[in-house]
Each structure stands twice: as C-alpha cells, then as structure tokens.
Amino acid sequence: MDLFFGAPKGATSSQQTVSIRVEARGRARKDNSASGPLPAPRRTRTASTSPDRTAREAGIYRTHDSRSRRRRQQVQHDVRAERRATQRSVAQRASRQLLTSVGSAMSSRDSVIVNANREHVGSLPSSPRPRKPTARIRSVKPSARISPQRDSSSMAGTPSPAHEIGRCFSVPARGDPVSAADLPSLSDQNADKAVVSSADAVRQSEAQYEDFFRWDGTEARIESIELHLPATGASEVFSLLAPKSHERELEPRDEYLPVNDLMATVHAIATYLVHSPPFYHTVCGDKEHGIMRCLERARNRRCGGDFVHSVRDFNRLLDDERDADHVHPAYAKSAIPSDLAVHVIEQVYNRIVAPTVDMLRQYKAFSNNVYGEILPTLISEFIERTDISHESVFLDLGCGIGNVVLQVAAQTGCSATGVEIMEVPASFANRQALEFERRMRLYRMEHGPVRICHADFCESSDVQLLLPTADVVLVNNYAFDSTLNQNLLQIFLDLKEGTKIISLKPFVTPDYKISARNIYSPESIMSVRRYPYWSKCVSWTDNGGEYFVQTIDRSRVKAFLAKRGMI
C-alpha cells in the first residue's frame, strides 16, 4: 500500500504526514462500512516524529528562551549599573561640596602633604565649616583632650579638601626634631594654637549643650577652665558643659562629656607622666582627700565651685613638679602603657573626626569601600599577638581614618604606615596624624614615625617599596570581595619570611594542605592561626568574632619540593 498516495510530488515531510493521516482515515471509513471496525493501526515512526528531531527542536526553543532571558538580564543589569553610576556621581558631587564647605578655625592652618622623601609638595587650605547641630562626639567612651591655650574663635579640626591620590603625609619619628619641611605649621611661632581644645569641640554644637554644674549666688558661672599639661607652658581649655540629653535618656548615647575628659587627663598625668610618688599620692593615692576624689565628689554633687577649686589645686601642684624637674614619664621608654596610648588616640578622634563623623557614611553599601573601625581593645591584642616592637615596620592596608596606625606608633614606637583609597577617611587620617603629633609633644611622649598615604594599595608604588620591609601587615578585609582578596594574595608574594598578616577573614584556610596541584599557589607560603575576639572590639557589631594571623613560611614549600626531588 502506498502510504503517500495522493500527496503531491515533491511534498515536504509535514505535507506527507498529513497525507498519511488523511488516507488512513479514508480507508478506515470504507472498511468499517463493509466489514465492521478495524483494530487500531500500529503507530509507525516517521521522519517528523523521530526522537532526534524532537530533541533538536526542543533544544532550539530552549536556546531561544535562554538567549532571550540573557538579553533581558543584560538590559536589567545595564539599567541598574547606570542607576548606580548616577547615584555614585551624585554622592561624589555632594561629598566634594561638603568637603569644600566644611572647615574650622584650623582653616587658617594648611594641611601639609609630603612625599616619601619628606619633600614638601604642597599645602591644602581648609574651608570654613558650618555648625553642626549635634552633641554627639564619639561612638566609644569619651576621653580627655590636650592643647595649649587657643584662640576662643577657633573650632575643632575637620578634614581638608581631598588631596591628590597617591600622595603621602608623614610626621616625624619619636624624638626626631621637627623641621619646616616636615610640618611647616609647627614651625610657626603660633603653632600651639593648631591643637584643638575640648572647648573648641563643644563650641561646634553649643546649642546642644547646657550647664553641667550648679552655681550658687556668690559664684560666677564658668563655662570652661584651663588645665595645665606636662610640657612647659602648655595647657588646654576644657568645657564645663554637658549634652542636654545626658540626664534624660535611660541609656545615654556615647557622647562627649568634657568633665569626664578632664578627669581622665588628670589621672593619666598623675599616673604615667610625672615621676613623683608624693605627687601621685596627693592626686590619686589619697582616697578621702586626694584631688581625684575631690573632683569625683564635685562632679557627682554638681558643685561647680568645688570642681574649679580642685582643678586649680592640680595646676599648682603640676607647676611645682615641673620646677623640680619631676615631669617625665614614669614608664619604660619603649613600653608606653596601652591605656595611656588609647587615651591620646581617643582625644585626637574626639576633636578631629567625631564632629563630622557623618561624612564617613558616604560609601557604597556592600562594596570593598564599606567603612568600619577596629577598636582600641582589639588593636592592643594585635600588638601583643604579633610582638610588634619599636624596631618593627607596621603597614595597614585600608587604614581608614588612621586610628590603628596612630595607636601602634604610640604604643610601640614602631614605624607605622597607613594606606587608604577613600577620599574622606584619608583626609581625616591626615588631620589626625597632625593632631596626634602635636598632642604627643604636649604630653612629652615619644612615638614612632607615622605615614599616611592616599592611594590604592594594589597600585601604589609606595606600597611596593614598603612590602619587602614590613614585619606586620593589617588588612581589615571583612567586607572585601574575592577578587580583591586574590589581588592581595599576589601582593603578599613580596613579603619577607616571617612577616605576619592580620586579617578579619582568612587568606588561607586553617586545614590547607600543600599538594602537587597547589604547590605554586600564594596560599602555600602561608601558615595560619585563628583567634577569637569578644564584644565591643569592632565598630560594626557588638558581637564577638574571630581574626586570623597568617605567617609567611616558605619552608613547607621547599620541603615538599625537596621530598619529590624537584630542588
């Protein structure tokens, strides 16, 4: 039987299939009318119903759907990228406008930038800064601040306009003389006025403050008081006001309290900076009639007259000890106590960063530039864990505002360098380094050389020069993506044997094993140890976590190759 009977010559397979079905139905009707129903015909495969053809057609449709889906996804991605670029450009424009509009009395001082050879390369004038209506000063406990007398019109420092990326700022090493090439602003006869006082910090948001003490009818109201400091002729004006919300909140915010700041400074001077047992006993040792006890009693009772009288007694005693040449550190020269170093760092932060801390929140969420601070408690643990000494070289990749760099330089006396790519934190780090050096001089404390670089640490030539000499490298890679972490691994190939790398996420897993497959990977030259940290050690969470210390150790790779006769 010719199944294709009736199909035109040269018909396509689909036409032939239709012809098959038509002829089959026609014959079935004829046979049914003659001899009853026929059994169902056996289904036969034809070219049009072959599994291979069906699969190919289905694959074509799937490919078409996949391409359409990819095109839609690409269009959506392009739209999102354009939106992000627009938002980023708006944020950068706002940041530049804010940087140029924000300033202080330090606008009369220039922010000095020097290169790696400490050659003066330019100055950056600050701009006048509008008042910020907030009493909030710092997200950590408040502490004291030091500076000699300052013009009453001066205000706390703010970041200078962004300096050119790739440039570095340096302050002298501990004990080194200060030259005009290093810090021209310090060579000025009025350089003492560049130090920001407690009263300056409060003056920026004076509307949010009120009287802390009560004054009786016979006492004149006093808003600030002068506290003498260890350096000859040095003093700082402390405000006697307090934030208005201090007493009203059940859980007060972390705010700057000048009275507590002053008392912490008195305690630090008596404990660490004056080598005189009678002086210490008079200030801190006598728990009933000592100056610290009198200050605490006056603060708790809100008695302004008694508080002012106790501060003046302290000033008189400190002047007598200075005349007797007893004002020098009461600790070993190369071992500054951690709480004293932290006290100075927090003072620097409260004057330079805290008044305009909102500027640090101008970053892209979930990016490599997410900002977060490592707090002093964890920094001290890093120092102890990695055995940083005054002979070490410390490098902080992504230093932010430079708090870690300053604390390491103060606490150990080592050479400390920070590299930061973001514009606003780098400007703050620049200002903090200047304020840090001046305050350390007023306390008559030595410190290691500090260097702040505004650069991309993956591209900076300064980083490439420093890496082979570094003893400890800190990388807060908590928010870094895998690409940046891989780039850092390539950078670490230049580190010398025994260099320690501190990170918040591991560059190599603790169970990493060398094999023929990974012998030439950067991870193979590292050994790693995991350590926990507890609550209130980082700024982005109150919970604990863990950090990792990787050590450059190429001996395992050499042993692996030697065992297989490859070297």
Side-chain angles (χ1 to χ4, degrees), residues 173-413:
R174 53 190 297 166
D176 288 354
V178 180
S179 65
D182 289 323
L183 293 171
S185 58
L186 289 180
S187 64
D188 196 313
Q189 61 180 355
N190 296 323
D192 287 343
K193 292 185 178 181
V195 183
V196 184
S197 72
S198 167
D200 296 330
V202 171
R203 193 175 295 116
Q204 294 183 86
S205 53
E206 192 170 4
Q208 302 298 320
Y209 280 78
E210 61 185 3
D211 286 340
F212 180 80
F213 293 105
R214 290 186 291 268
W215 310 89
D216 59 32
T218 61
E219 297 174 334
R221 176 178 175 271
I222 299 177
E223 290 189 358
S224 60
I225 189 170
E226 181 182 14
L227 179 70
H228 292 187
L229 303 175
T232 303
S235 63
E236 176 181 8
V237 178
F238 282 84
S239 174
L240 297 182
L241 305 179
K244 294 179 179 179
S245 61
H246 176 62
E247 290 296 329
R248 293 196 296 267
E249 297 180 356
L250 296 178
E251 295 182 1
R253 297 172 296 172
D254 293 323
E255 296 169 320
Y256 177 60
L257 299 176
V259 172
N260 290 350
D261 192 355
L262 184 150
M263 293 175 61
T265 303
V266 169
H267 185 271
I269 293 174
T271 305
Y272 298 114
L273 302 177
V274 178
H275 191 60
S276 172
F279 178 78
Y280 175 80
H281 178 76
T282 304
V283 176
C284 300
D286 190 344
K287 301 302 181 183
E288 186 62 29
H289 303 289
I291 291 178
M292 279 300 300
R293 178 56 183 155
C294 293
L295 290 172
E296 291 174 359
R297 189 182 296 116
R299 179 194 61 184
N300 296 339
R301 296 176 179 176
R302 302 294 182 92
C303 183
D306 291 347
F307 192 88
V308 170
H309 180 74
S310 298
V311 172
R312 289 172 178 169
D313 286 345
F314 173 82
N315 291 340
R316 185 166 50 255
L317 288 173
L318 183 60
D319 291 341
D320 293 341
E321 295 297 329
R322 188 187 296 113
D323 295 339
D325 197 22
H326 292 159
V327 179
H328 51 82
Y331 54 83
K333 185 176 181 179
S334 60
I336 296 178
S338 61
D339 53 346
L340 178 59
V342 170
H343 175 72
V344 177
I345 301 304
E346 288 183 352
Q347 286 189 326
V348 173
Y349 184 101
N350 285 337
R351 272 80 171 162
I352 303 300
V353 179
T356 53
V357 70
D358 289 341
M359 296 176 64
L360 293 174
R361 301 188 177 96
Q362 297 176 5
Y363 56 79
K364 180 182 176 182
F366 308 107
S367 68
N368 292 325
N369 295 332
V370 172
Y371 178 77
E373 295 178 23
I374 299 176
L375 300 183
T377 302
L378 188 55
I379 299 173
S380 296
E381 185 174 338
F382 288 166
I383 293 172
E384 182 179 357
R385 190 76 67 184
T386 55
D387 298 323
I388 302 177
S389 67
H390 67 282
E391 298 177 349
S392 302
V393 176
F394 176 80
L395 178 61
D396 187 355
L397 300 180
C399 67
I401 60 175
N403 274 4
V404 178
V405 176
L406 299 183
Q407 184 172 339
V408 170
Q411 196 167 328
T412 67

Side-chain angles (χ1 to χ4, degrees), residues 476-529:
N476 182 2
N477 62 338
Y478 187 82
F480 287 2
D481 58 25
S482 58
T483 301
L484 184 53
N485 282 326
Q486 287 298 319
N487 291 339
L488 284 168
L489 280 172
Q490 299 299 321
I491 291 175
F492 294 156
L493 292 174
D494 294 331
L495 294 173
K496 64 183 179 181
E497 196 75 3
T499 298
K500 294 180 174 62
I501 304 166
I502 308 171
S503 62
L504 275 297
K505 287 186 177 179
F507 288 101
V508 55
T509 58
D511 57 350
Y512 183 87
K513 293 182 180 180
I514 298 177
S515 64
R517 173 177 291 182
N518 61 25
I519 184 63
Y520 296 110
S521 298
E523 295 91 335
S524 298
I525 67 171
M526 298 182 186
S527 59
V528 61
R529 297 195 65 178

Side-chain angles (χ1 to χ4, degrees), residues 523-538:
E523 295 91 335
S524 298
I525 67 171
M526 298 182 186
S527 59
V528 61
R529 297 195 65 178
R530 184 201 317 258
Y531 300 97
Y533 65 82
W534 315 114
S535 61
K536 300 187 183 299
C537 285
V538 294

